[in-house]
Every structure is written in structure tokens, then in C-alpha cells.
């Protein structure tokens, strides 16, 4: 096998300046653009790789038990002395009744909310924290709409590294805030939005020498590539027609494109699925850019109920554009009420997810209605976060007088059998 140590480097995505792979930089020293990790494709191809991945599946302990490190031949990282829970190995399941809501009876969901801290962020974080440990970083930092903070806090605690999280005041769901505090991160509630938090985290990382673990860090994206690799494996390496995902800061959209290109180049799949990136209408700078042929990004002031993707100036814009172009992908928007109804449908199917995750299902419904996703197409929506992340939104949706289409309001009763019977008989 190739010697990853010898060939690993980071390269600027714009001016191609090379940077040592073991630098703690996440931006190019020459022009400020994001850095990418470069490593040649593995020597092995198709069947051989598939056999290796399959053999590791079901390992009880060590890095092979991780749904990230199990795919290490496909990642531009070293896989030694990893910090792992393990993570990944999430189910790909039929969407049940939610598939009918979406108008796509074969719809499946890849449930990344079933990771150790309840979101897909754990896949990037095992790689990011492993790198932080390798660098001897005294502390790690991130700006976050909540999930990155929760994940980084947990992995930093496991690694024995101090964690600093910057979150926008009043815009983070309760479960995520609780996690960041509980896992022991120094938690700063910033009077500003996520974009302001990220700008602050980037300058704090530069000025204070803490290692930045937002998805601008290319090690994070290496881990997130395995969402797609594992999904393809679960599809028997017979790629679906579409993969739908919610899009905010665009790290995941970037990682998905990278994973699909690698899977194609290594002969793991024969055809590349189309990506459907879904944004909330009130936080849709990427979708607006798509509608205008991907010119320059125009940042906006975001406003959506899906706080995870309440982002107006996405950091990975350039590399996400590449993902959409290379997969003949589509970027669309959905309204907040569609997101909430999609969430209620996913929840009522017994699957459950947080609001941002449901955007991927709402987006599929839109694309089916618009005839962009054909009848009978094979579609996988990625559910990025757990239903318990944002309990307040669920309780508000189902509140007695809210009257939403899929409401399931609680019923207050006296402690009598009669009241129980009446409640049971209610339509
Ligand atoms: N879904 C969930 C549940 C998220 O938490 C995020 C991002 C996304 C989708 C969008 O992914 O940013 O890669 O386009 N959450 C980040 C955070 C911003 O701070 O937790 P993206």
C-alpha cells in the first residue's frame, strides 16, 4: 500500500500553494483561500477495496469498528492512533410513511442522527480531533449552529484537549447547547449570527494558536466523505439516482462530491448519483447562486426555523459548486412550513430527525412535484441530526392549538379511566 506519510500535503484550492499536511493552518498563507488535502488514489481498485471494507464491517473494537476508519484507503489521512467512539455504521432504511408524504415510494434515508453525539459531525470530528492530537494542539475551537459544537466537545473530552465553542445567541437548539455544556466545552454565546461566530473563530484560531475544527478544516471533510461511501456500500455499490442533503455552510456538499469522484475513480461505482442540495428559503445563498449559473456568492442575512442551517455566508462555497457541477446536481429551496411538515412526517414514521435534516425530504417532495426527480427514481435522503436535538420545535409543532397538518397534540386528562377511554376513542 502507498505510504500516506510520504505523500500527504495540503494545497490551496485557488493559487495551488503547497502547505505541510501537519500545519495547523486551514487557510492558504498566500491568498487566504481554503486548503485541500491531496493524496493519490489507492493502488487497489473496485473488488479488492470492496472486500477490505466488507471484512472490517462488524469488527468489535479498534479503528475497524468505525464507519469512518473502515474506509481509510479512500481518505487522505493517516489512520494511526485514532480518537474514535466508534462513529458511523448508521442505518440506511426505507422512509416508511414519510416516503408517501414525499411522493417517492422507494425513498430511503441514511440516518446520520444515530451517530454517538447525534449528528453526522462525528464522522468529520474523529478525523479532525485525531489530527489535533497529532499536532499536539493545546486547544480546539469551532463556531457552530450547535452540532459541530456538541461533537467537538465530546471528541475533545475523549482526547483530553480543551474545547472552545462559539455559538450564536438564541439560535441554537436546546439539545445541542446542553451537549456542549455537558461535555465540558468552554461555551461562548456570541451576540451575532453564525457567520459572525465563524469569522471570530477564524481570527481567534490565528491569534491564539488554537486549532480550528470547522469544516473549513480539510481533515473534517475527509471523515464526512464516508457518509457517501458507507451508503454506497449499503446499496451494494449500485449507486442511487439521487442523494439529497441539507446545505448550510456547505462542508457536507463539498465532501459528498469528493467522495463520489473518488468512488468513481477507484471503480467502486459505475455511475455517479446526482446531488440534491436543499436550503431553507430564508437561508439560501447557495440556491440563489445556482439559479444564476454560480457566479460570485452573495451573502445574505439568514432566517429559518432550521437553526442548523441558518447560515448566510457559507465557507465551502467554491468546493460545493464543484460538487454540484461534477454530479450534474441541483440546488433547491424549501419553505419553513415544508421543513416542519417533512420533519413531522419523518418523525411520525418512527424515524425522527431534527428540522434541518428534514429539508432533505422536503426537497425531494419539491423535485418530484416539479418533475426533476422522475417517477420510480432511486433516492436517498440524508438525515443529518437526531430528533432529540431540537425538542422545542417538535413540542411547538404539536402544541394543542397549533393546528398543523400532521399535529399530534398532547391531551391533558384527569386521572380517571373514563378520560383515558375518551382520549383513546378520539379521531
Ligand atoms: N444538518 C445539520 C443537522 C447540521 O448541523 C448542519 C450544519 C447541516 C445540516 C449543514 O451542513 O454546514 O456542511 O452544509 N451544522 C453546522 C454546525 C454548521 O455548526 O453544526 P453543512
Amino acid at each position: 500500500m502507498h505510504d500516506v506519510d510520504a505523500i500527504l500535503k495540503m494545497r490551496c484550492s485557488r493559487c495551488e500553494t503547497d502547505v505541510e499536511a501537519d500545519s495547523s493552518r486551514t487557510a492558504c498563507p498566500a491568498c487566504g483561500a481554503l486548503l485541500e488535502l491531496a493524496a493519490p488514489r489507492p493502488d487497489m481498485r473496485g473488488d479488492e477495496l470492496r472486500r477490505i471494507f466488507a471484512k472490517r464491517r462488524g469488527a468489535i473494537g479498534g479503528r475497524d469498528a468505525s464507519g469512518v476508519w473502515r474506509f481509510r484507503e479512500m481518505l487522505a489521512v493517516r489512520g494511526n492512533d485514532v480518537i474514535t467512539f466508534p462513529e458511523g455504521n448508521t442505518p440506511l432504511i426505507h422512509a416508511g410513511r414519510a416516503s408517501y408524504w414525499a411522493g417517492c415510494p422507494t425513498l430511503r434515508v441514511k440516518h446520520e442522527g444515530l451517530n454517538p453525539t447525534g449528528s453526522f459531525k462525528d464522522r468529520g470530528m474523529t478525523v479532525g480531533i485525531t489530527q489535533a492530537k497529532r499536532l499536539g494542539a493545546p486547544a480546539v475551537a469551532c463556531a457552530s449552529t450547535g452540532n459541530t459544537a456538541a461533537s467537538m466537545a465530546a471528541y475533545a473530552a475523549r482526547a483530553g484537549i480543551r474545547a472552545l465553542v462559539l455559538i450564536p445567541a438564541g439560535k441554537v437548539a436546546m439539545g445541542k447547547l446542553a451537549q456542549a455544556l455537558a461535555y465540558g466545552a468552554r461555551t461562548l454565546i456570541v451576540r451575532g449570527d453564525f457567520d459572525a461566530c465563524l469569522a471570530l473563530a477564524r481570527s481567534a484560531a490565528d491569534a491564539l494558536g488554537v486549532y480550528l475544527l470547522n469544516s473549513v478544516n480539510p481533515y473534517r471533510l475527509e471523515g464526512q466523505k464516508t457518509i457517501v461511501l458507507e451508503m454506497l456500500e449499503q446499496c451494494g455499490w449500485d449507486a442511487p439516482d439521487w442523494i439529497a442533503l441539507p446545505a448550510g455552510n456547505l462542508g457536507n456538499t463539498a465532501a459528498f462530491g469528493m467522495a463520489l469522484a473518488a468512488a468513481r475513480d477507484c471503480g467502486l461505482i459505475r455511475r455517479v448519483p446526482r446531488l440534491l442540495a436543499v436550503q431553507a428559503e430564508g437561508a439560501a445563498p447557495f440556491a440563489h447562486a445556482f439559479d444564476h449559473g454560480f457566479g460570485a456568492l452573495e451573502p445574505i442575512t439568514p432566517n429559518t426555523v432550521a437553526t442548523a442551517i441558518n447560515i448566510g455566508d457559507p465557507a465551502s462555497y467554491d468546493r460545493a459548486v464543484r460538487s454540484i457541477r461534477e454530479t450534474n446536481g441541483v440546488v433547491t429551496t424549501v419553505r419553513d412550513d415544508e421543513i416542519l411538515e417533512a420533519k413531522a412526517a419523518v418523525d411520525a414514521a418512527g424515524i425522527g430527525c431534527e428540522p434541518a435534516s428534514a429539508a432533505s425530504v422536503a426537497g425531494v417532495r419539491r423535485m418530484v412535484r416539479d418533475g426533476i426527480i422522475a417517477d420510480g427514481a432511486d433516492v436517498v435522503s440524508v438525515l443529518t441530526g437526531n430528533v432529540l436535538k431540537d425538542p422545542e420545535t417538535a413540542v411547538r409543532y404539536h402544541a394543542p392549538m397549533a393546528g398543523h397538518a400532521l399535529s399530534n397534540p398532547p391531551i391533558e386528562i384527569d386521572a380517571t379511566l373514563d378520560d383515558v377511554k375518551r382520549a383513546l376513542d378520539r379521531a
Side-chain angles (χ1 to χ4, degrees):
M1 204 184 25
H2 65 262
D3 178 2
V4 181
D5 265 356
I7 41 90
L8 250 188
K9 58 177 179 288
M10 292 193 284
R11 174 168 288 174
C12 174
S13 54
R14 190 187 299 150
C15 72
E16 304 202 339
T17 296
D18 280 341
V19 176
E20 284 293 300
D22 277 349
S23 161
S24 59
R25 289 179 185 283
T26 54
C28 173
C31 76
L34 297 184
L35 299 175
E36 293 177 343
L37 270 165
R41 301 292 189 222
D43 309 330
M44 290 167 288
R45 293 184 50 80
D47 276 344
E48 203 178 346
L49 284 169
R50 284 187 210 121
R51 258 197 308 276
I52 292 175
F53 303 151
K55 211 166 87 198
R56 293 176 185 151
R57 196 172 48 207
I60 303 289
R63 60 185 177 169
D64 287 355
S66 161
V68 172
W69 297 104
R70 194 158 72 75
F71 295 101
R72 57 189 172 272
E73 282 75 11
M74 303 297 291
L75 312 181
V77 287
R78 282 159 280 189
N80 309 322
D81 302 324
V82 301
I83 308 290
T84 175
F85 263 88
E87 48 289 310
N89 296 318
T90 59
L92 174 71
I93 53 175
H94 184 256
R97 279 148 51 186
S99 65
Y100 298 104
W101 180 88
C104 180
T106 55
L107 180 67
R108 287 178 291 175
V109 292
K110 173 80 174 146
H111 204 332
E112 287 296 303
L114 300 180
N115 270 291
T117 77
S119 83
F120 72 95
K121 305 289 181 181
D122 295 341
R123 291 191 187 255
M125 210 50 78
T126 181
V127 180
I129 287 282
T130 294
Q131 181 64 8
K133 186 94 177 166
R134 183 172 293 129
L135 296 175
V140 291
C142 71
S144 180
T145 55
N147 282 323
T148 301
S151 181
M152 193 190 79
Y155 278 80
R158 299 286 295 163
I161 302 176
R162 292 185 65 198
L164 176 69
V165 307
L166 282 70
I167 56 177
K171 297 279 189 208
V172 171
M174 192 60 82
K176 306 173 190 183
L177 174 59
Q179 284 179 293
L181 298 172
Y183 295 135
R186 178 65 51 91
T187 302
L188 307 185
I189 300 193
V190 179
R191 291 185 286 271
D193 60 14
F194 168 82
D195 303 296
C197 291
L198 182 55
L200 186 57
R202 288 173 106 163
S203 41
D206 284 345
L208 309 176
V210 294
Y211 189 51
L212 188 65
L213 277 178
N214 278 101
S215 57
V216 294
N217 184 318
Y219 286 91
R220 282 268 317 273
L221 299 194
E222 289 303 306
Q224 289 175 205
K225 278 159 56 177
T226 63
I227 302 169
V228 162
L229 297 173
E230 193 176 273
M231 174 201 305
L232 294 172
E233 183 187 54
Q234 287 164 314
C235 293
W237 301 106
D238 181 15
D241 299 313
W242 290 88
I243 299 174
L245 79 164
N249 210 24
L250 303 182
N252 230 13
T253 307
F256 279 29
M258 290 160 60
L260 289 171
R264 179 202 56 211
D265 292 354
C266 294
L268 286 168
I269 51 170
R270 270 197 295 275
R271 65 192 176 99
V272 173
R274 299 178 73 180
L275 286 181
L276 173 63
V278 187
Q279 296 210 287
E281 214 165 75
F286 189 43
H288 293 155
F290 174 78
D291 288 343
H292 295 96
F294 281 141
L297 176 77
E298 286 182 32
I300 52 113
T301 302
N303 182 21
T304 168
V305 68
T307 51
I309 51 174
N310 194 48
I311 294 172
D313 188 10
S316 288
Y317 174 71
D318 290 336
R319 42 198 189 194
V321 168
R322 206 185 318 148
S323 290
I324 296 299
R325 285 200 167 126
E326 286 183 356
T327 62
N328 188 24
V330 171
V331 189
T332 192
T333 60
V334 288
R335 293 186 316 270
D336 277 3
D337 63 294
E338 294 174 280
I339 290 176
L340 291 177
E341 195 168 309
K343 174 182 151 51
V346 171
D347 292 351
I351 297 168
C353 67
E354 67 165 281
S357 310
S360 65
V361 174
V364 168
R365 181 158 89 156
R366 271 240 172 158
M367 292 299 97
V368 168
R369 281 190 177 172
D370 291 354
I372 311 257
I373 292 182
D375 268 356
D378 182 10
V379 186
V380 176
S381 286
V382 178
L383 300 181
T384 46
N386 194 284
V387 65
L388 292 174
K389 289 281 189 175
D390 189 352
E392 289 165 310
T393 299
V395 171
R396 210 180 307 127
Y397 184 90
H398 295 291
M401 303 307 287
H404 292 300
L406 302 181
S407 275
N408 175 35
I411 303 164
E412 196 174 317
I413 60 163
D414 289 326
T416 68
L417 208 48
D418 264 0
D419 272 14
V420 174
K421 188 172 179 320
R422 241 195 315 278
L424 208 55
D425 291 343
R426 223 150 99 165

